[in-house]
Amino acid sequence: MSTRDTFYITTPIYYVNDVPHIGHAYTTVAADVLARYWRLRGRDVFFLTGLDEHGQKVQQAAAKAGIDPQAHCDRLAPQFTNLWDRLNISHNAFIRTTDKPHQSVVQRYLQQLFDKQLIYKADYTGWYCTFDERFWTEKDVVGGLCPDCKRPIEQLSEHNYFFKMGQYQEQLQRHILEHPDFIRPESRRNEVLGFLQTQKLGDLSISRPKSRLSWGIELPFDKDYVTYVWFDALVNYISALEYLPQGQPAGLRYWPADVHLVGKDILTTHAVYWSTMLMALEQPLPHTIFAHGWWTVDGEKMSKSRGNVVDPNKMVDQFGTDAFRYFLLREVPFGQDGDFSHSALVTTVNAKLANGIGNLLSRTLTMIERSCAGVIPERGPAVLPELEQRIEELAAQLPGKTETGFNALQFRDVLLMIEELNGCCDEYIDKSAPWKLAKQPETQPQLHTVLNTSARALRLLALLLYPFMPKAAAQMIEQLGLSLDLSRPLAAEAGRWDAPLAGSKIQKGASLFPRIESKPQGAKPVSDTPASPQPTAAAPSAAPAAPQSPAPAATPAAAPAPAQPAQISIDDFMKIQLKAAKVLAAERVPKSEKLLKLQVSLGTEQRQIVAGIGKKYEPEALVGKTIVIVANLKPAKLMGIESQGMVLAAGDSEVRGLATFVEDVEPGTKVK
C-alpha cells in the first residue's frame, strides 16, 4: 500500500444496461469502507465509481426502446446513483463515459499511441460475441458458443485498428514479478503470470467500424471508426482525474491509483490490457489491482434465468443499510467466492449485531442511566483484573491490527477482531454482574469500573466500525454523549484507550439493531397470535347455558376425587431439554401487560424468549438472573414475536416465581 498523503480507490465502471445486483454492491461497499478508513486516518482520499455507457449492447437496447442511446443511458443511470445513496457510498466522483471531457481524454491518448506508431490498421477475421463485445480465436470457441457467456457467436471479417499490446509482454511479466502486491490476491497473481509465461500475447483490436457500431468515441485519426469499448472504459481511471476532482487543479495528483477493485471476471482486462496501455502511454501502473470473488445464491450461480439475482435495494429495505454492508464484508474473506442466503444474513444480524454490539450498547447505557444518573463514571478499583487487562490489551492492539487488515484488504479479519473485543466485554459484564454491584453502596466504586470499562470499549468499537457501518457508528458515539465527528480525520489520540470519557452525559436512544424475526427453515406455519389456552380450574370457561326448566334437587354425593395427572415414562421426560440461561436484556412487549421479551445466554448461543411474567416482574429486575428454560421447544410466535424457548415458573393462574438456582451456574448447563 502507498505511503503517500493521497489515496486513490476505484471500482470498475459498471455497464449501464445492467440491473444493479449484489456483485455491484459488494465491490462498491468494499471501496467505500477503504475510503472511509483512510479519510479517518487523515489521507486525502479520492474515490471514483461510475458507468460504462458505450458499446453495441447499449446501441441495440436503445434502438429496441425507440430512443436515442444517450437518452437511454440517462434513463438508466439513476438506478446506480440512487442505490449508492441508499448504501451510503461516499464517492468523490461519478464518471460516465459519455461525459465530453472523458471522450476528449480518450481521443488524446489514442492520438498519442497512433503518433508513436503503436496503433496500426489490419484485416481481421475472428469469432465475435456481441454480448461481451470482443473477438475470440478459433481455439477458444467450442460449438459456436462464446467461451465466456456461452451465447452464440458469429464469424466476422473486417478492417480494424490494433494496439501493439504484444510487445509489452516481457515488461509486464517483470513488473508483476518485481511488485508482489501489484495483483492480489496471490492466486489471481499466479493466474495472470501463468497466462503470460505460457501464451504469446497478441495485439488488441481497439476499434469498430461505424457501419457496424456507431455508439462510441470516434477515432481522432479515422472518422469511420469508433473506439473499442474496453479502451474507452479503462481510460476512465485517469480521465476522471483531469476534470472531476472538486476544487483541485487538473492533472494527475492522485495517480497512480492505490487500489483498483475489480471482479475476477475482468482481471485480465485490467492486469493485461490496462497495464500495457499505461506502459505505452508512459504512465505509472496502479499499486494494486485486487480481484475479488463472485457471489452465488444458496449454492447456485446467480442469473436472471434462475430468478435468483439478489436486489440490494430489497436487502436495504428489509435489513437496513448498515446491517447489509456488515454482512457483505463479514460473510466471506475478501478475494474468495461467497454464497448469499437469506438465513445467513438473518443469523449475522441477530447474532453479531442485535445480540452482540447492539446488546452491549443497550446494557451499558441502561445501567449508566439507572445507576449513575446518565453520566459515564470515573473508573474505580479493579473488579476482574485479568479480564480487564485482557480487554485493555485487545483495545491497545486493535488500531495497529486494523491498519494491517485494511492494508491487506482483509475486511473480515478486521470485523472478527472487533467481534472479539465485543465478546470479551460481554463476558466481563456477565462475570462482574454490575446489576448486583448496584444494589450495595459499598460496591459502587466497582460498579463504576465496570461501566467505565464497557463505555470505553464501546467508544473504540464505534471508531473501528465506522468504515463498515457509518450511520450506526455515529449513533453509538451520539448515545455515548461524545462529540467526535467521524466524517473528519481523527487525531492520533482519539483511538487511545485512555482518551477522555468520564463525565459525558449519555443520550440513550432506540435499539441500533432490532432482531430480525424469522421463521426457521422447515418450521410449520405459526399464527401471529397465541392459541387460546384450554380452560383450567384457575381460568374458568364461559358460563353454561341457562337451564330450560327447573333442575331437580341434587342428591348429596361425595366430592369427586381430584383428577390425577397423566403419567409419563422416563423416556418421555428425557426428551425435554432444560438448561440454565442468563438474562442479558429484558423489555415489555408493546400492547401487552403480561408478556416480556427476554434475550438470554446459553453460553455458546443467545436466544430470544417471550414469557408471560410481566405482571410479576419488571424487565430490569430480570437482567443478570440465571433462570431455567425449555431449550428444545419448537419456536412459536406470541403477538408476532418469535419465542425460541419457554421460561419455567411456579404458579397456576398467576406467576408466583421463576425457577432459579441457589448456587452460581454457568449459562448453558443442563438441568437434571
Side-chain angles (χ1 to χ4, degrees):
M1 195 72 67
S2 171
T3 57
R4 301 177 301 169
D5 291 335
T6 59
F7 184 81
Y8 183 25
I9 174 74
T10 73
T11 72
I13 52 173
Y14 304 113
Y15 201 55
V16 73
N17 266 11
D18 286 344
V19 175
H21 54 66
I22 190 173
H24 300 114
Y26 186 47
T27 313
T28 312
V29 168
D32 184 68
V33 170
L34 279 176
R36 289 180 182 274
Y37 175 77
W38 289 114
R39 289 192 192 107
L40 274 184
R41 297 296 308 277
R43 301 274 290 273
D44 178 8
V45 173
F46 193 75
F47 170 17
L48 177 70
T49 187
L51 294 177
D52 176 7
E53 299 187 349
H54 288 127
Q56 198 163 4
K57 285 184 287 185
V58 173
Q59 180 175 293
Q60 291 175 344
K64 187 176 180 180
I67 59 176
D68 177 80
Q70 186 64 65
H72 175 72
C73 294
D74 292 344
R75 187 175 66 178
L76 294 178
Q79 65 185 346
F80 286 91
T81 55
N82 293 341
L83 178 60
W84 299 162
D85 287 343
R86 299 199 70 197
L87 288 174
N88 208 353
I89 303 301
S90 63
H91 54 285
N92 297 89
F94 188 91
I95 191 170
R96 298 175 62 182
T97 56
T98 51
D99 294 346
K100 296 300 182 186
H102 166 76
Q103 297 184 54
S104 296
V105 175
V106 171
Q107 289 180 323
R108 187 176 80 231
Y109 283 159
L110 283 166
Q111 189 66 55
Q112 287 180 19
L113 295 177
F114 186 78
D115 293 343
K116 295 170 70 174
Q117 298 183 344
L118 292 172
I119 291 178
Y120 64 93
K121 191 175 185 181
D123 294 332
Y124 184 80
T125 299
W127 293 97
Y128 186 75
C129 174
T130 299
F131 184 82
D132 290 326
E133 300 190 39
R134 65 176 291 183
F135 282 99
W136 295 96
T137 63
E138 190 74 38
K139 65 181 178 63
D140 294 321
V141 176
V142 179
L145 300 178
C146 171
D148 189 25
C149 69
K150 309 303 180 186
R151 290 174 170 83
I153 57 179
E154 58 181 325
Q155 194 167 54
L156 293 177
S157 295
E158 59 187 26
H159 296 295
N160 265 319
Y161 286 90
F162 291 81
F163 162 56
K164 293 181 180 180
M165 184 170 65
Q167 74 178 51
Y168 295 95
Q169 183 166 0
E170 291 185 7
Q171 185 179 342
L172 180 57
Q173 280 182 242
R174 285 197 305 273
H175 185 86
I176 297 172
L177 290 169
E178 292 169 2
H179 299 82
D181 288 339
F182 175 56
I183 300 173
R184 293 165 58 191
E186 187 175 2
S187 59
R188 304 298 173 205
R189 176 176 179 265
N190 292 338
E191 286 177 13
V192 176
L193 268 178
F195 167 76
L196 292 172
Q197 291 169 345
T198 59
Q199 299 186 45
K200 181 176 174 58
L201 191 62
D203 292 342
L204 180 66
S205 172
I206 53 92
S207 72
R208 299 290 183 264
K210 282 186 178 180
S211 58
R212 185 161 63 84
L213 173 64
S214 60
W215 183 239
I217 300 174
E218 188 177 89
L219 295 186
F221 43 81
D222 194 331
K223 306 298 184 186
D224 294 327
Y225 288 81
V226 297
T227 309
Y228 172 48
V229 68
W230 271 114
F231 191 101
D232 164 12
L234 290 165
V235 172
N236 94 90
Y237 300 127
I238 286 184
S239 69
L241 300 179
E242 294 201 15
Y243 71 97
L244 287 175
Q246 298 298 310
Q248 300 289 345
L252 301 181
R253 192 168 72 86
Y254 294 99
W255 190 259
D258 291 85
V259 181
H260 284 325
L261 282 186
V262 300
K264 65 181 184 180
D265 55 322
I266 55 174
L267 174 59
T268 299
T269 309
H270 286 75
V272 179
Y273 295 7
W274 179 224
S275 298
T276 54
M277 287 163 58
L278 288 169
M279 289 174 174
L281 292 165
E282 301 179 30
Q283 293 284 356
L285 272 59
H287 292 297
T288 296
I289 301 171
F290 195 104
H292 63 72
W294 289 338
W295 284 89
T296 55
V297 179
D298 293 320
E300 293 188 344
K301 186 177 180 180
M302 188 170 55
S303 70
K304 293 178 183 178
S305 61
R306 288 190 174 95
N308 64 350
V309 176
V310 179
D311 182 354
N313 284 290
K314 292 182 179 179
M315 295 301 102
V316 171
D317 290 341
Q318 187 171 358
F319 298 99
T321 297
D322 281 346
F324 183 52
R325 286 170 59 111
Y326 190 94
F327 171 81
L328 285 176
L329 296 180
R330 191 206 182 272
E331 183 68 4
V332 62
F334 199 64
Q336 298 182 18
D337 291 341
D339 186 63
F340 175 88
S341 73
H342 186 275
S343 62
L345 180 47
V346 170
T347 298
T348 295
V349 171
N350 288 344
K352 307 304 179 183
L353 299 181
N355 294 344
I357 297 161
N359 186 54
L360 179 64
L361 179 68
S362 178
R363 296 168 78 185
T364 302
L365 296 186
T366 297
M367 289 184 286
I368 292 173
E369 191 174 61
R370 291 173 179 168
S371 304
C372 304
V375 177
I376 298 175
E378 293 280 1
R379 179 184 172 90
V383 180
L384 297 170
E386 291 185 3
L387 194 48
E388 287 162 5
Q389 183 179 357
R390 182 180 162 204
I391 290 172
E392 291 191 29
E393 287 176 351
L394 280 174
Q397 296 166 2
L398 265 173
K401 287 185 174 181
T402 298
E403 181 172 351
T404 299
F406 276 110
N407 276 324
L409 276 70
Q410 289 306 308
F411 306 107
R412 188 171 187 267
D413 288 353
V414 173
L415 291 174
L416 291 178
M417 289 187 285
I418 290 171
E419 290 174 8
E420 183 182 8
L421 177 60
N422 191 137
C424 199
C425 289
D426 279 335
E427 181 185 356
Y428 178 60
I429 290 176
D430 288 344
K431 290 184 175 179
S432 62
W435 48 88
K436 293 181 181 178
L437 299 174
K439 294 178 180 179
Q440 304 297 329
E442 62 270 21
T443 55
Q444 293 301 298
Q446 288 89 340
L447 171 66
H448 292 171
T449 296
V450 175
L451 298 182
N452 181 280
T453 300
S454 184
R456 288 189 179 280
L458 283 164
R459 177 187 177 278
L460 182 58
L461 287 171
L463 299 183
L464 297 173
L465 284 167
Y466 169 74
F468 300 93
M469 300 190 293
K471 184 178 179 181
Q475 289 176 332
M476 289 175 70
I477 292 295
E478 182 181 350
Q479 292 195 25
L480 286 166
L482 306 177
S483 58
L484 287 172
D485 184 357
L486 298 180
S487 66
R488 297 180 176 276
L490 295 178
E493 59 268 18
R496 292 176 57 91
W497 175 256
D498 57 357
L501 181 69
S504 297
K505 179 74 173 178
I506 67 167
Q507 305 289 331
K508 189 172 183 293
S511 173
L512 290 187
F513 306 106
R515 281 184 59 86
I516 305 296
E517 309 300 340
S518 173
K519 185 174 65 181
Q521 294 292 322
K524 295 180 179 179
V526 179
S527 171
D528 284 344
T529 55
S532 300
Q534 295 299 312
T536 64
S541 60
Q548 299 298 313
S549 58
T555 302
Q564 296 296 312
Q567 293 185 331
I568 62 173
S569 69
I570 186 64
D571 291 335
D572 291 329
F573 177 74
M574 293 301 291
K575 294 177 182 177
I576 303 171
Q577 191 179 94
L578 304 177
K579 286 189 176 184
K582 176 164 284 188
V583 181
L584 304 177
E587 61 183 283
R588 292 195 175 276
V589 174
K591 301 181 180 180
S592 174
E593 63 176 5
K594 182 177 176 181
L595 297 180
L596 298 183
K597 183 169 70 173
L598 311 179
Q599 306 295 334
V600 303
S601 170
L602 295 178
T604 58
E605 64 170 312
Q606 293 185 14
R607 297 256 190 110
Q608 174 175 280
I609 296 177
V610 180
I613 56 177
K615 288 185 176 181
K616 174 69 175 177
Y617 295 98
E618 291 297 323
E620 57 268 20
L622 297 173
V623 177
K625 286 185 176 294
T626 302
I627 59 177
V628 182
I629 70 165
V630 181
N632 61 337
L633 194 68
K634 287 184 178 180
K637 281 190 176 182
L638 301 175
M639 294 191 68
I641 302 173
E642 186 177 75
S643 182
Q644 301 163 327
M646 178 184 288
V647 171
L648 293 193
D652 38 41
S653 61
E654 300 291 334
V655 174
R656 304 285 182 90
L658 290 175
T660 58
F661 300 89
V662 176
E663 308 291 341
D664 288 337
V665 177
E666 289 293 319
T669 303
K670 289 184 178 180
V671 178
K672 303 178 179 178

